Amino acid sequence: MASYEQVQSLRESAFNIIVNARDDPAALKKYARALEAILVYLDRPEVRDLAAGNTYLQFCGFNLRLDLAETYGKLKQQDKAAKTLQEINDISWTPVLLNVMKDRPSLAKMADEPRVQKILSVAAIPTQLWSSEATYPYAATLSVEERVAGLSQFWHQVRDSFVYFDHVPELDWNKVYLEYLGKVIAAATTEEYYRVLSQLAPLLRDGHTNIYAPPELGKKLYARPPLRTVMLDGKVLIAEIHSPSLKARLALGDEVLTIDGIPVQDYAKQYILPLVSSSTEQDRQLRTYGYQLLAGDADRPVTLGLRNMAGLERIEVIARSEHADIDKKEVFNFKMLPGRIAYLSLDHFESDEGVRKLKKVLPDILQAKALVLDIRKNGGGSTQFGADILSYLTQKPIPFSKSYVRSDNGFTRNDGAHIVWKAMGGKGSEAHYSRERVFDGPVAVLTGAATFSAAEDFLVSFDTLQRGVKIGEATGGSTGQPILVYLPGGGYGRICAKRDTYPDGREFVGVGIFPDVEVRATRESLAAGEDVVLSKAVSLLGQRTQ
């Protein structure tokens, strides 16, 4: 990443030329010369070779040329500006160019010129080829052509971009297309169509490859009562209840025997498992007997056959919707535990909320003897936020996963190379920080099957740094960068198009990241509301701080 950092440093130095003189002709000319010099550096053979395997470095040329074209525009050098915009197209056809030009007045003035219009028409080609969400409004029924087109789009994009076919070596993807062709043709309504498509993605056994029905069908397909179930030691148990009125009828640890009169495991295998996209057995079990088990039509209550801790059986009819007393979920909870052990739950990385909370409580953490970070319910988000948090626990650079994408295309396949891997960033990919103070005491991270995606990226970095101990259960074993495929009727599909490993090449997708100390809840601990994983962490850290 040294060349990338060099270019970013040179770009920042160049920008300082005009920071206080943005429209001064002399400063603009000097700025243009500085940008031109950086582009000469990028065009050196050894740097070009590095850029071929580093997307970030490659697209430095895009940003620099955009700055340069804008500068030429301010200097009334339209020929040079147009030539530079054409060079951007030579790097990448991207609709981003259209939006960026609108925000830069000196370029926006050129938009009506024929030569610039031709450049912009080429930049817009990807939008024409890959439809956006707005292309497919919801409709209760779809034509046969639309249904076939949706199947074909998803199937084809999987064939061209999916990175984990080796996890399903027995799957004949060409045969799957023919099998599902008849099914989608027979689907009379949009609801039936998505019920069929929802069984297609799970065949790939990947947690980041899914098909979702349109929002208009959400209440019909995805409504769930405010409680959570879990499979534990062969039994399906109630693990969480998020409604006071339901707490009066249900109890933690209650065993679910039947759903709508069907034995619970038979029900799950018949109605739920075919819809579950997952990369590992632990993730599959979590989704089948947890997230998705009670999902269904909001207008149809679910009938549960239950057995309490005393062995008494009963029937409860639970509405899937219209619960007015749902408990507000507390996230990013911080507390100081006995023995001056700090605890912080990192519930998601969807925003910088966790980073902001850590910064707020950092003075307390710095006074603690040890720290517990709880990512058991963290389903992911942005890897960057996880790295930001780790930067407060070490002075070392934060290492990232080793990542690959497929770079094969029709030409390479015709030439005999059917799947070609391209490294993204490489083994040395890492983030550098400079924190005034970091917590250098013992750290434990709590994990479980719901630890997923960017939370696993966080754990890979934590593990590689050897910064502390992992306690709990194996993670979900699925991360990567999904691409979106918008489908007729308003639904969409996700396809995992980035393959990740530990920096040293160890696999965790399709496997999970296993804890150093395994701790599992029991029915008794659930019923008593005891957190045995956290208790174990406190015990171990207490021993290490004595």
Side-chain angles (χ1 to χ4, degrees):
M1 296 291 283
S3 292
Y4 172 77
E5 291 165 357
Q6 170 78 356
V7 169
Q8 291 296 82
S9 176
L10 290 171
R11 187 184 180 200
E12 184 177 349
S13 297
F15 181 74
N16 288 334
I17 296 171
I18 60 163
V19 69
N20 294 316
R22 292 178 179 270
D23 295 316
D24 177 65
L28 288 171
K29 289 178 182 178
K30 186 176 179 181
Y31 180 50
R33 288 194 296 271
L35 294 176
E36 290 165 352
I38 302 172
L39 288 171
V40 170
Y41 169 77
L42 276 175
D43 201 42
R44 286 164 53 175
E46 67 273 20
V47 181
R48 273 205 320 269
D49 291 344
L50 286 172
N54 188 314
T55 302
Y56 300 108
L57 183 58
Q58 182 181 9
F59 276 87
C60 281
F62 177 97
N63 294 324
L64 287 163
R65 285 178 173 85
L66 199 56
D67 293 342
L68 185 57
E70 180 183 28
T71 305
Y72 286 147
K74 289 180 178 180
L75 291 169
K76 311 297 184 189
Q77 298 177 4
Q78 274 74 17
D79 288 343
K80 285 188 174 182
K83 180 177 180 294
T84 305
L85 290 174
Q86 179 57 52
E87 290 175 358
I88 290 175
N89 265 5
D90 293 341
I91 297 173
S92 171
W93 296 355
T94 172
V96 172
L97 182 59
L98 285 74
N99 297 325
V100 172
M101 281 193 62
K102 293 176 184 177
D103 296 331
R104 304 198 181 200
S106 65
L107 294 179
K109 293 177 182 178
M110 299 175 58
D112 293 332
E113 294 186 19
R115 57 185 171 177
V116 176
Q117 285 186 339
K118 182 177 180 180
I119 292 169
L120 295 180
S121 68
V122 171
I125 287 174
T127 302
Q128 301 164 14
L129 293 176
W130 291 284
S131 301
S132 68
E133 185 175 10
T135 306
Y136 297 120
Y138 176 73
T141 59
L142 300 169
S143 68
V144 171
E145 291 82 1
E146 288 174 315
R147 299 198 298 274
V148 170
L151 169 66
S152 301
Q153 285 173 306
F154 184 80
W155 178 89
H156 196 280
Q157 193 65 262
V158 166
R159 189 181 67 170
D160 284 358
S161 304
F162 184 60
V163 292
Y164 287 113
F165 275 115
D166 56 321
H167 290 183
V168 283
E170 75 286 356
L171 183 67
D172 185 337
W173 193 237
N174 294 308
K175 183 179 179 181
V176 166
Y177 179 79
L178 296 177
E179 291 174 348
Y180 272 78
L181 190 58
K183 294 179 181 180
V184 300
I185 289 174
T189 66
T190 302
E191 179 185 338
E192 291 178 20
Y193 177 61
Y194 276 95
R195 287 187 185 276
V196 169
L197 285 188
S198 294
Q199 298 180 54
L200 175 60
L203 299 176
L204 294 161
R205 293 189 210 157
D206 181 73
H208 279 69
T209 302
N210 333 75
I211 289 180
Y212 296 100
E216 290 82 358
L217 293 175
K219 289 186 177 181
K220 189 77 172 177
L221 302 177
Y222 304 137
R224 296 183 298 181
L227 59 91
R228 185 177 70 86
T229 52
V230 64
M231 171 70 84
L232 192 60
D233 297 327
K235 296 179 179 180
V236 180
L237 307 174
I238 293 179
E240 295 177 13
I241 306 169
H242 300 293
S243 159
S245 59
L246 281 183
K247 288 177 182 177
R249 302 167 55 193
L250 306 173
L252 298 179
D254 277 352
E255 181 184 358
V256 181
L257 302 175
T258 62
I259 297 179
D260 294 338
I262 303 172
V264 63
Q265 294 198 36
D266 291 341
Y267 179 92
K269 290 174 183 176
Q270 182 176 351
Y271 296 108
I272 308 301
L273 187 57
L275 307 175
V276 173
S277 291
S278 57
S279 299
T280 63
E281 181 55 36
Q282 61 267 26
D283 184 35
R284 191 169 302 114
Q285 183 168 286
L286 174 70
R287 294 176 185 278
T288 303
Y289 294 102
Y291 296 153
Q292 296 175 230
L293 183 65
L294 302 180
D297 191 338
D299 294 331
R300 292 185 58 192
V302 58
T303 300
L304 301 180
L306 302 170
R307 178 188 290 141
N308 67 15
M309 293 292 291
L312 299 177
E313 297 183 11
R314 69 190 191 281
I315 299 293
E316 294 284 355
V317 180
I318 309 296
R320 286 191 169 99
S321 62
E322 306 300 329
H323 292 271
D325 61 345
I326 298 177
D327 295 330
K328 184 178 180 181
K329 183 180 179 182
E330 184 181 4
V331 295
F332 300 104
N333 179 33
F334 175 78
K335 55 189 175 183
M336 194 64 71
L337 302 173
R340 286 173 54 197
I341 297 175
Y343 168 92
L344 177 61
S345 65
L346 299 173
D347 298 282
H348 64 74
F349 290 144
E350 295 170 6
S351 70
D352 68 345
E353 188 176 355
V355 182
R356 287 187 283 110
K357 183 60 178 278
L358 184 139
K359 291 169 69 174
K360 180 179 179 181
V361 302
L362 186 61
D364 295 316
I365 292 175
L366 291 173
Q367 297 301 314
K369 288 186 175 181
L371 173 64
V372 176
L373 295 176
D374 191 346
I375 59 172
R376 285 176 291 177
K377 296 182 180 180
N378 190 322
S382 170
T383 302
Q384 185 62 54
F385 298 134
D388 291 346
I389 288 169
L390 282 173
S391 72
Y392 289 96
L393 305 181
T394 180
Q395 296 285 9
K396 297 178 180 179
I398 308 303
F400 292 119
S401 299
K402 194 174 182 179
S403 303
Y404 304 87
V405 296
R406 287 173 54 181
S407 64
D408 48 294
N409 52 49
F411 177 81
T412 60
R413 287 190 288 270
N414 186 64
D415 204 35
H418 290 277
I419 290 186
V420 180
W421 295 104
K422 178 181 178 181
M424 303 289 289
K427 182 177 179 179
S429 181
E430 56 188 24
H432 294 258
Y433 296 84
S434 180
R435 302 296 187 196
E436 188 174 329
R437 293 193 67 188
V438 300
F439 177 76
D440 57 5
V443 180
V445 174
L446 310 187
T447 68
T451 305
F452 193 75
S453 194
E456 294 181 278
D457 298 338
F458 169 88
L459 201 57
V460 165
S461 299
F462 177 84
D463 208 13
T464 301
L465 286 166
Q466 297 183 328
R467 184 59 188 85
V469 61
K470 309 183 298 296
I471 302 175
E473 298 180 70
T475 64
S478 180
T479 193
Q481 183 62 52
I483 56 176
L484 298 184
V485 179
Y486 293 105
L487 301 172
Y492 68 95
R494 300 195 317 163
I495 300 164
C496 188
K498 181 167 73 72
R499 187 180 183 109
D500 291 284
T501 70
Y502 270 80
D504 62 8
R506 280 179 292 156
E507 299 278 359
F508 67 94
V509 174
V511 181
I513 300 172
F514 287 82
D516 302 306
V517 180
E518 184 176 28
V519 184
R520 292 169 51 87
T522 64
R523 186 180 184 188
E524 290 71 25
S525 67
L526 280 180
E530 297 176 357
D531 190 339
V532 294
V533 179
L534 178 56
S535 295
K536 184 66 173 180
V538 170
S539 174
L540 285 176
L541 291 174
Q543 295 171 19
R544 297 184 182 190
T545 56
Q546 287 180 352

